[in-house]
Amino acid sequence: MIAYHFPPLAGSSGIQRTLRFARYLPEFGWQPLVLTTTANAYVQTSNDQLKDIPQNCVLARAPAFDAARSLSIRGRYLAVTSRPDRWLSWWPGAVLYGMRLISRYKPDVIWSTYPIATAHLIAHTLHRLSGISWVADFRDPMAQDGDPSDPRLWRSFKRVEHKVFSCAAKCTFTTPGAVRFYAQQYPDYRGQLVCIENGYDEEAFTGLESSSLPLNVGKLTILHSGIVYPKERDPSHLFQAIAKLRDLGKIDASRFQIRFRAPVHESLIQVLVEKYQLQSLVEILPPLPYREALAEMSRADALLIMQAAICNYQIPAKLYEYFRCNRPIIALAEPEGDTAQTLIKAGIRSIARLNQPSDIVDLLERFMRADVEGMTPVPSAVETTSRRERTREFAQLLDSI
């Protein structure tokens, strides 16, 4: 299992896909060998999830360097060191470590997961050297129309895609929309495309301190937990809507708060806060250990999910944890996109387009009236989205190769 996102990396929900597969695969007859990076490759680290790595998991860490931080001079670095991504330096060492694992353990399948494209390059090389079947996992689509906007990076992504589809036995995706997209892009390989969605981990919720105490006593608090991307989750129109409601006297700091936990791009949010003078209505807070973050979600009056139209083939992994928290969800997403469709199937109708301030105003007004019907997932939707069930699907796929 070749994955960049793995403990002690902090601040990315992408960790959970590999970590929970590795945890549950032995229940279904598969023993994981994980090949990841050294901790210096990560911008942020935390030890809180190291204990979740299964004791019987064979783990190898190959050296990797973030070109932007470790291979730069005065903030500048060679573009060739960052295509297809800034961790290209992981490739040679990981191939060496991977061949050692192959020589010692004789694995049946190689699995790699994107959105660090170098993971697929490593898997491709190991597949070519060993002849072992390869499963390539796409948590996000790679080369889309106009995305990435840098044409050289786009071509680099496309080259990686061609390697994947010409060599991989199966390709897995986290959303049905991504499967449809790639079936159109690579029609000759339709038969190797499989959707295995993300999910929540029930064990991560076990033992959490239960509390009915709200996040901000006396205030209705909306929580966005995780990264706020400038394009993919641009909160500009949300802030415009909040400012309008404030100006209309429908919300104020005594009864309303929106909290951004670990947004990463704090400067983007701060600029919008200042632009609309929302200092008393918006909180920007640092990361929490994983379980503390889950506990915080469970106490929010509502949980916020944001997804722009350019991400219609994606579903934030955080959404499944939101489902498990059983709190009202306020969704800003395109109705035809995979995120909105997943919400609708879960019984949630509180959806407005991320780029439509007037629709967001209506949705927030509804929430302020405590009109939360259709904001909370139905139990059946929660039960079918656990990581253990997703791993069962994954193991069945591996059995078929």
Side-chain angles (χ1 to χ4, degrees):
M1 303 184 76
I2 303 167
Y4 167 86
H5 295 91
F6 205 71
L9 173 64
S12 172
S13 58
I15 288 175
Q16 302 307 321
R17 189 165 176 87
T18 304
L19 180 60
R20 304 306 168 180
F21 279 162
R23 186 170 186 83
Y24 296 125
L25 274 173
E27 295 182 20
F28 305 104
W30 287 87
Q31 174 60 42
L33 317 169
V34 176
L35 175 59
T36 186
T37 72
T38 45
N40 66 282
Y42 303 139
V43 176
Q44 289 183 308
T45 61
S46 172
N47 293 333
D48 72 297
Q49 291 193 79
L50 288 174
K51 61 182 176 296
D52 292 334
I53 300 173
Q55 290 185 352
N56 62 347
C57 175
V58 175
L59 179 62
R61 295 188 184 276
F65 301 93
D66 180 349
R69 294 184 298 116
S70 302
L71 303 178
S72 64
I73 300 175
R74 296 180 181 177
R76 299 176 65 86
Y77 52 92
L78 295 174
V80 70
T81 65
S82 61
R83 288 197 295 265
D85 53 61
R86 303 200 316 263
W87 295 272
L88 181 61
S89 60
W90 182 28
W91 187 6
V95 169
L96 178 62
Y97 278 57
M99 288 306 297
R100 288 175 180 170
L101 290 172
I102 288 169
S103 176
R104 181 173 180 182
Y105 295 100
K106 307 294 190 297
D108 298 285
V109 181
I110 295 168
W111 177 85
S112 58
T113 183
Y114 169 84
I116 298 300
T118 297
H120 284 343
L121 291 179
I122 295 164
H124 175 260
T125 305
L126 293 175
H127 162 74
R128 295 292 296 273
L129 291 174
S130 68
I132 297 171
S133 297
W134 172 26
V135 176
D137 182 53
F138 291 81
R139 302 202 305 274
D140 296 324
M142 286 188 71
Q144 302 177 77
D145 292 341
D147 187 24
S149 57
D150 180 344
R152 291 174 298 180
L153 182 57
W154 190 92
R155 288 194 296 270
S156 179
F157 275 11
K158 204 66 179 175
R159 285 192 293 270
V160 175
E161 283 188 356
H162 283 304
K163 291 178 187 292
V164 169
F165 287 97
S166 63
C167 295
K170 295 290 183 180
C171 297
T172 57
F173 303 86
T174 60
T175 70
V179 172
R180 292 193 300 271
F181 172 76
Y182 276 103
Q184 293 172 354
Q185 297 295 309
Y186 298 92
D188 292 341
Y189 300 100
R190 287 176 184 268
Q192 69 191 55
L193 311 184
V194 180
C195 180
I196 301 178
E197 292 188 30
N198 284 309
Y200 72 89
D201 182 50
E202 184 61 37
E203 288 188 6
F205 286 84
T206 302
L208 287 183
E209 182 181 349
S210 60
S211 173
S212 59
L213 187 68
L215 295 180
N216 286 305
V217 177
K219 297 181 184 181
L220 288 174
T221 300
I222 300 172
L223 171 67
H224 183 278
S225 187
I227 302 174
V228 176
Y229 294 105
K231 288 195 306 180
E232 296 87 343
R233 299 173 189 169
D234 180 7
S236 300
H237 294 103
L238 168 64
F239 279 60
Q240 185 179 337
I242 294 171
K244 182 174 182 179
L245 288 170
R246 188 248 350 252
D247 294 343
L248 292 172
K250 295 185 177 181
I251 61 172
D252 58 60
S254 69
R255 58 196 182 102
F256 176 87
Q257 195 88 45
I258 183 165
R259 174 179 295 185
F260 291 91
R261 172 67 70 181
V264 177
H265 299 281
E266 290 92 346
S267 59
L268 166 66
I269 298 174
Q270 195 59 53
V271 166
L272 292 170
V273 167
E274 294 174 2
K275 176 180 179 180
Y276 293 105
Q277 297 295 298
L278 298 175
Q279 289 85 347
S280 62
L281 295 169
V282 176
E283 292 180 303
I284 306 172
L285 299 177
L288 286 172
Y290 180 58
R291 284 177 177 76
E292 291 182 29
L294 294 180
E296 181 180 49
M297 292 179 211
S298 300
R299 294 171 50 208
D301 294 299
L303 297 166
L304 173 66
I305 201 86
M306 297 188 293
Q307 199 78 319
I310 60 173
C311 298
N312 274 355
Y313 300 141
Q314 300 172 32
I315 302 171
K318 189 73 66 181
L319 181 62
Y320 302 95
E321 294 168 348
Y322 279 11
F323 283 173
R324 173 58 178 78
C325 289
N326 199 36
R327 305 301 301 151
I329 295 174
I330 292 174
L332 307 182
E334 294 294 308
E336 62 272 19
D338 281 349
T339 295
Q341 289 301 307
T342 299
L343 287 158
I344 292 168
K345 289 177 183 176
I348 294 171
R349 302 187 301 277
S350 50
I351 303 169
R353 297 180 191 273
L354 181 60
N355 62 353
Q356 294 294 328
S358 60
D359 293 349
I360 300 173
V361 165
D362 293 342
L363 188 52
L364 292 178
E365 279 193 288
R366 220 185 102 195
F367 171 68
M368 291 300 294
R369 294 194 305 267
D371 179 12
V372 296
E373 183 180 354
M375 289 189 177
T376 305
V378 296
S380 59
V382 178
E383 292 168 3
T384 58
T385 57
S386 73
R387 292 279 186 187
R388 180 177 270 106
E389 287 304 308
R390 302 304 195 206
T391 306
R392 186 192 303 274
E393 296 173 35
F394 181 34
Q396 289 172 348
L397 174 67
L398 295 176
D399 290 339
S400 71
I401 294 174

